[in-house]
Amino acid sequence: MTLGRLCLLLLTTHRARPFVLGPRQPTPRPLRAEADGRLSDIKASEAQLRWQLAQVQREKAEVLATRRLKIGIVGFGKFGQFLAKKFADYDHEIAALSHSDRSAEARALGAEACHRLGDATDVLKFFERDLDVVVLAVSIVSFDDTLARLREGLVAHPHTLIVDVLSVKEHARDALLRRLPAETSVLCTHPMFGPESGRHGWQDLAFVYDRVRVTKESSDPVWEPNVMACS
């Protein structure tokens, strides 16, 4: 018998029996009362964690509200000096950076030092003060040039928060995002007051701000105008 005939014989005499699936066995599940009890425990733990997180956030806000900041002011003209005086009134540590020598004015307003913007080494010394915030109080005419001079210092200290006070927001925003390191947080602001209107204090005066790129050190870039009253 040839191999082909043998295969044909086997196929015709030994037909495969169809495989029939039996009824599906249900997956064991906990009793409803047991599941409800576990869910209640989980929800209680979740609520406790939310309460603890809220407590921590409140404590953090209280510490930050009373913490002495190191604030750098770039541009020490009329508006820069106005800001320095107000920040010093809140007992923050102030350092200035200016094109011209403003050392006498800086000392009179309680600033720690006044560095020179035209001296690259002095700019680095300005940033070596481990500043929390740098406020740009320069004109729109010198804005781009100022950012170029600050870049090396910001590359070395990228997590410094940069705040501008220009009234023209789009130009400032685009220039800051284009010229500053990606890790640097950017807050564009527009105080609705100045040295004259705020000479007796800035409480309850309007203050517009945009969280352009604020990290956690930070979040993704947003363009979200906000208005608040100064305190």
Side-chain angles (χ1 to χ4, degrees):
M1 181 182 293
T2 64
L3 180 60
R5 284 183 174 276
L6 178 60
C7 291
L8 181 63
L9 180 64
L10 289 172
L11 287 173
T12 55
T13 59
H14 298 279
R15 296 185 182 278
R17 297 179 62 187
F19 178 73
V20 180
L21 290 174
R24 182 179 177 184
Q25 298 298 317
T27 302
R29 298 187 181 185
L31 296 175
R32 175 61 182 261
E34 180 185 346
D36 287 349
R38 289 178 58 197
L39 184 59
S40 295
D41 291 342
I42 292 169
K43 287 182 176 180
S45 297
E46 186 179 38
Q48 179 67 17
L49 288 172
R50 280 199 299 265
W51 181 85
Q52 290 176 345
L53 178 59
Q55 285 288 98
V56 170
Q57 289 173 332
R58 278 194 293 271
E59 290 175 14
K60 180 181 177 182
E62 289 171 2
V63 170
L64 290 174
T66 57
R67 177 172 170 259
R68 192 175 193 234
L69 296 176
K70 294 183 178 180
I71 303 175
I73 299 176
V74 181
F76 214 61
K78 193 173 183 180
F79 197 80
Q81 292 178 39
F82 164 71
L83 292 176
K85 183 179 185 307
K86 295 301 181 184
F87 291 146
D89 288 344
Y90 286 91
D91 194 36
H92 295 305
E93 183 179 319
I94 312 300
L97 184 63
S98 178
H99 270 294
S100 55
D101 185 6
R102 301 281 188 172
S103 300
E105 293 93 328
R107 283 193 300 271
L109 294 169
E112 299 285 325
C114 185
H115 299 273
R116 298 296 295 274
L117 187 57
D119 184 334
T121 302
D122 218 17
V123 171
L124 289 176
K125 288 180 180 177
F126 173 75
F127 281 100
E128 284 169 4
R129 290 179 170 275
D130 193 26
L131 302 167
D132 297 298
V133 184
V134 170
V135 181
L136 305 179
V138 298
S139 70
I140 191 171
V141 175
S142 61
F143 196 75
D144 286 72
D145 178 67
T146 299
L147 294 182
R149 294 174 186 272
L150 298 180
R151 182 171 174 81
E152 188 176 352
L154 282 169
V155 168
H157 303 272
H159 297 300
T160 307
L161 171 63
I162 297 293
V163 179
D164 94 281
V165 292
L166 280 179
S167 58
V168 183
K169 291 295 92 179
E170 283 193 32
H171 174 79
R173 173 182 180 269
D174 294 345
L176 289 164
L177 291 176
R178 185 175 66 252
R179 289 187 172 273
L180 300 190
E183 304 93 332
T184 300
S185 294
V186 175
L187 183 68
C188 285
T189 76
H190 184 187
M192 307 298 285
F193 51 85
E196 292 303 318
S197 57
R199 65 185 181 278
H200 299 304
W202 53 28
Q203 187 166 353
D204 298 327
L205 297 178
F207 181 82
V208 181
Y209 66 96
D210 299 310
R211 292 167 54 90
V212 175
R213 181 174 66 201
V214 179
T215 64
K216 275 198 166 156
E217 269 177 347
S218 253
S219 58
D220 292 332
V222 294
W223 179 238
E224 212 171 34
N226 296 275
V227 180
M228 64 177 287
C230 292
S231 59

